[in-house]
């Protein structure tokens, strides 16, 4: 029971940040699970199964608050799904940890750029398919192999390219539901077919999954409200600060 309430708190805080800034649910939850000694593939599967529910709640909340650019969503989600399925196949077959330093370096650079951009008067521009396609594919792939990465990669990419912060966050959160659905299905198929043993028993993780789900669902409406009412420049600075801190923390873990 203690473990359930611990992960309920983790899920609530992670989803509150994710819903408001378009990232961090997967990163925070995966970090907590990995620190408990759980293998990477099982961490990613656990996070994605819990995200099935939390991303549905977040997508509904952002849709209700009109934070979603539906044209961008239709371009983004399919490529995220493709990248996510490929990432799930890779993770259940080989060790994908080699990607972590590369992703960390990317996040650090983009975080600094967003902070710089927030102090300049740069125009918001429409985001075309030639940019969205690779961004969504890479975001989905990295999300699957790391348990979290869709928001940090895709939200920061869209903001760096000039997308309006409110709609970038709302659209990325909504698209994440569809990416998560297919990634979780890929893990389930791999487990059911016997091509992946899950690195152990999932029964012991039920309290953690239940806590993450309930905490995330409780926090989902607050993130959508925050995105709708906060000043766009402050939202951009908050995203830049968060992603830079994530990059610094991951670098410390990797090199330390």
């Amino acid at each position: 029971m203690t473990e359930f309430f611990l992960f309920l708190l983790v899920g609530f805080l992670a989803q509150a940040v994710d819903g408001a800034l378009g990232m961090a649910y997967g990163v925070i939850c995966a970090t907590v699970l990995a620190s408990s000694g759980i293998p990477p593939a099982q961490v990613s599967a656990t996070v994605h199964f819990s995200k099935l529910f939390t991303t549905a709640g977040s997508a509904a909340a952002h849709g209700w608050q009109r934070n979603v650019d539906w044209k961008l969503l239709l371009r983004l989600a399919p490529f995220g799904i493709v990248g996510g399925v490929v990432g799930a196949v890779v993770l259940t077959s080989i060790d994908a940890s080699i990607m972590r330093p590369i992703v960390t370096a990317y996040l650090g650079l983009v975080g600094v750029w967003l902070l710089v951009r927030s102090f300049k008067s740069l125009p918001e521009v429409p985001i075309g398919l030639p940019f969205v396609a690779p961004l969504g594919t890479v975001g989905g792939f990295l999300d699957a192999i790391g348990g979290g990465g869709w928001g940090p990669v895709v939200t920061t990419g869209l903001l760096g390219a000039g997308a309006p912060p409110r709609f970038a966050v709302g659209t990325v959160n909504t698209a994440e539901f569809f990416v998560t659905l297919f990634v979780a299905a890929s893990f389930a198929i791999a487990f059911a077919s016997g091509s992946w043993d899950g690195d152990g028993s999932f029964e012991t993780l039920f309290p953690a999954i239940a806590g993450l789900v309930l905490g995330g669902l409780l926090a989902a409406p607050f993130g959508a409200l925050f995105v709708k009412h906060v000043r766009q420049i402050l939202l951009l600075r908050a995203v830049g600060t968060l992603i830079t801190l994530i990059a610094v923390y991951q670098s410390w873990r990797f090199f330390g």
Side-chain angles (χ1 to χ4, degrees):
M1 187 60 69
T2 301
E3 183 180 8
F4 168 79
F5 284 109
L6 171 63
F7 279 97
L8 186 148
L9 177 61
V10 171
F12 183 90
L13 294 176
Q15 183 56 49
V17 175
D18 190 282
L21 302 183
M23 66 188 74
Y25 180 87
V27 172
I28 293 173
C29 295
T31 300
V32 174
L33 290 167
S35 66
S36 302
I38 300 171
Q42 197 171 0
V43 167
S44 185
T46 301
V47 171
H48 279 90
F49 288 139
S50 66
K51 281 167 65 177
L52 277 174
F53 301 92
T54 60
T55 55
S58 182
H62 280 291
W64 180 261
Q65 297 296 336
R66 299 182 179 180
N67 298 333
V68 181
D69 181 336
W70 297 103
K71 291 183 179 179
L72 177 59
L73 175 69
L74 292 175
R75 294 197 297 264
L76 182 63
F79 292 100
I81 290 169
V82 171
V85 171
V86 172
V89 173
V90 169
L91 185 60
T92 56
S93 305
I94 65 173
D95 180 9
S97 60
I98 190 174
M99 296 295 297
R100 291 177 183 172
I102 300 174
V103 177
T104 298
Y106 166 83
L107 294 179
L109 291 173
V110 174
V112 173
W113 162 242
L114 291 180
L115 287 173
V116 172
R117 186 178 182 273
S118 70
F119 289 97
K120 294 183 177 181
S121 179
L122 298 179
E124 296 174 349
V125 298
I127 309 300
L129 185 61
F131 180 80
V132 171
L135 181 68
T137 304
V138 172
F141 178 82
L142 295 178
D143 187 74
I145 68 172
W150 171 258
V153 171
V154 181
T155 301
T156 56
L158 291 175
L159 292 176
R166 172 185 171 185
F167 293 104
V169 172
T171 304
V172 169
N173 270 271
T174 303
E176 188 175 16
F177 166 72
F178 300 99
V179 176
T180 300
L181 178 64
F182 279 84
V183 173
S186 299
F187 282 122
I189 292 171
F191 186 75
S193 65
S195 60
W196 175 52
D197 63 5
D199 295 326
S201 173
F202 279 101
E203 285 79 2
T204 58
L205 290 173
F206 283 163
I209 295 174
L212 293 177
V213 168
L214 182 57
L217 288 175
L218 291 174
F222 298 103
L225 281 171
F226 178 86
V227 169
K228 182 177 181 179
H229 295 291
V230 74
R231 288 176 57 199
Q232 300 291 280
I233 195 68
L234 295 179
L235 183 60
L236 189 62
R237 289 175 186 172
V239 172
T241 300
L242 177 62
I243 203 65
T244 302
L245 291 175
I246 290 174
V248 170
Y249 173 71
Q250 291 182 343
S251 298
W252 174 78
R253 287 190 63 195
F254 181 77
F255 293 106

